[in-house]
Amino acid sequence: MLRVHFTAADLARTRIADGPDPLWETVLSVHQLTEQSPDPALRAWRTRECTHGRAALRMLRPVMPPRGYFPDFLTPAASLGGLESGIGAVLSTPRQRLRAELTRLVDRAAPPAWMRPLAEGEPESLRRLGRALRAYHTSVLRPAWPWIGRHTEQDRLWRAQTQSVAGTDAMLRTFGSLLRWRPPVLTVDYPVDRDLHLDGRGLLLVPSYFCRQLPVALADGSLPPVLVYPARPPAGRDTGGDAAGATGTESLAQLLGHTRAAVLQSLGGLCTTSELARRAGVSASSASEHAGVLRRAGLITSTRLRNRVHHSLTPLGTALLAGHTVAVTA
């Protein structure tokens, strides 16, 4: 059992993340590819993606075991700013922390030979880890990122709107039995018994597609408090299932290309270029370039508000995503 202890200051500083975290989704999806009895809802994804990114998966699997401890440095807070920000933070982990966290991991299992130089902060080992994280995301997660984003966005919007209208107390109650809120303590079913005192730092709640059962927290309670939880859209607003999402994504990718399709599918309401890049799992420059192409095709509109450009779907773009037949005049 995990007991998260709040103060009044913590309630004021608690928030829902803007979307899925690419490195948390990396760790948790590796768990799903490693499980002997995976979630049936992920069967189609797992069958398809087990054939991709095998070399990266072989390297990541030993540092991301599906049971028990895995190192906190693999899921830095900077990852919410995008994959490259997260990888940069991983590669900048102080040597003392690398040694402490990887020693704790290897005490539980026989480590591969490359893990010892990694624990010593050897630069080439760190670069190798960074390449594996990037390759895994590109080959396994990026094709799925649009429907990962849609699924988590429904959950995020529901809870964020509840918090905005009725306050944090009401938002925490939306989790029901998943996270049991009995002020001032949030109780979570957990593999180990522990207490997490927020001490005025607040709590960041991160919706996750690949967190399928119990919520997950960082092992080190001195780090900024994070709780990653299974995204569960409100009743009647689910995305239509993994297989349907994957099929729709693939059809659109054949028409527009994978990256441009991901950018289009990541739009929902007004969205800045940086938000679009994060949702689609691409760089800001790439998101801007693809948004320009989609705008010229009449699929999105872009409006400058102060110093930011906001993008939204046009009726034509909405119809294309919905799979409707649209009459286009010259």
Side-chain angles (χ1 to χ4, degrees), residues 238-276:
D238 206 347
T239 55
D242 304 308
T247 301
T249 295
E250 187 58 34
S251 298
L252 196 62
Q254 291 173 4
L255 177 64
L256 300 177
H258 281 286
T259 303
R260 194 161 296 153
V263 170
L264 183 65
Q265 290 180 304
S266 297
L267 276 167
L270 282 178
C271 177
T272 66
T273 302
S274 59
E275 290 170 337
L276 186 59

Side-chain angles (χ1 to χ4, degrees), residues 31 37 40 44 49 85 104 106 140 143 169 189 203 208 227 266 272 284 297:
H31 290 175
S37 300
E49 301 308 340
S85 295
R104 180 176 175 180
V106 300
V140 177
D169 182 271
D189 289 332
L203 180 66
S208 167
L227 190 64
S266 297
T272 66

Side-chain angles (χ1 to χ4, degrees), residues 84 95 217 240 251:
E84 291 303 322
R95 182 177 300 179
S251 298

Side-chain angles (χ1 to χ4, degrees), residues 14-193:
T14 291
R15 65 184 181 91
I16 303 289
D18 290 338
D21 182 306
L23 288 184
W24 273 106
E25 294 303 280
T26 293
V27 171
L28 296 169
S29 64
V30 167
H31 290 175
Q32 291 297 329
L33 290 174
T34 306
E35 286 281 9
Q36 296 300 313
S37 300
D39 188 323
L42 293 176
R43 187 175 293 115
W45 170 83
R46 190 173 188 265
T47 300
R48 184 174 59 254
E49 301 308 340
C50 270
T51 63
H52 302 297
R54 287 179 174 172
L57 182 60
R58 280 195 298 271
M59 181 170 186
L60 297 178
R61 185 180 283 138
V63 293
M64 301 175 179
R67 294 284 183 273
Y69 173 80
F70 63 85
D72 287 334
F73 78 85
L74 294 170
T75 53
S79 180
L80 276 171
L83 178 68
E84 291 303 322
S85 295
I87 292 176
V90 169
L91 302 189
S92 301
T93 305
R95 182 177 300 179
Q96 183 178 5
R97 183 178 171 190
L98 285 170
R99 185 183 299 119
E101 294 189 8
L102 288 171
T103 297
R104 180 176 175 180
L105 177 65
V106 300
D107 282 347
R108 298 166 177 261
W114 58 263
M115 199 180 291
R116 295 197 182 278
L118 180 65
E120 295 304 316
E122 198 275 319
E124 180 52 34
S125 294
L126 280 165
R127 286 192 291 268
R128 185 181 174 195
L129 175 61
R131 288 193 296 268
L133 289 169
R134 194 174 289 109
Y136 179 87
H137 189 275
T138 299
S139 60
V140 177
L141 288 187
R142 183 174 293 172
W145 204 254
W147 44 272
I148 291 171
R150 286 200 302 274
H151 184 90
T152 55
E153 184 69 1
Q154 291 180 6
D155 177 288
R156 188 196 72 79
L157 282 174
W158 170 39
R159 301 191 202 278
Q161 288 169 354
T162 300
Q163 184 178 29
S164 176
V165 171
T168 302
D169 182 271
M171 180 270 289
L172 291 174
R173 295 184 190 280
T174 65
F175 289 97
S177 61
L178 180 66
L179 311 176
R180 296 175 293 281
W181 174 235
R182 296 181 178 88
V185 180
L186 186 69
T187 306
V188 185
D189 289 332
Y190 214 67
V192 296
D193 193 65

Side-chain angles (χ1 to χ4, degrees), residues 282-304:
V282 299
S283 67
S285 60
S286 178
S288 179
E289 177 185 348
H290 289 296
V293 174
L294 294 170
R295 183 170 56 253
R296 289 190 292 275
L299 299 176
I300 72 171
T301 61
S302 301
T303 306
R304 180 170 291 279

Side-chain angles (χ1 to χ4, degrees), residues 199-222:
D199 295 328
R201 295 172 295 171
L203 180 66
L204 178 65
L205 292 155
V206 182
S208 167
Y209 183 81
F210 287 104
C211 182
R212 307 300 289 193
Q213 295 178 333
L214 300 179
V216 187
L218 295 169
D220 185 350
S222 69

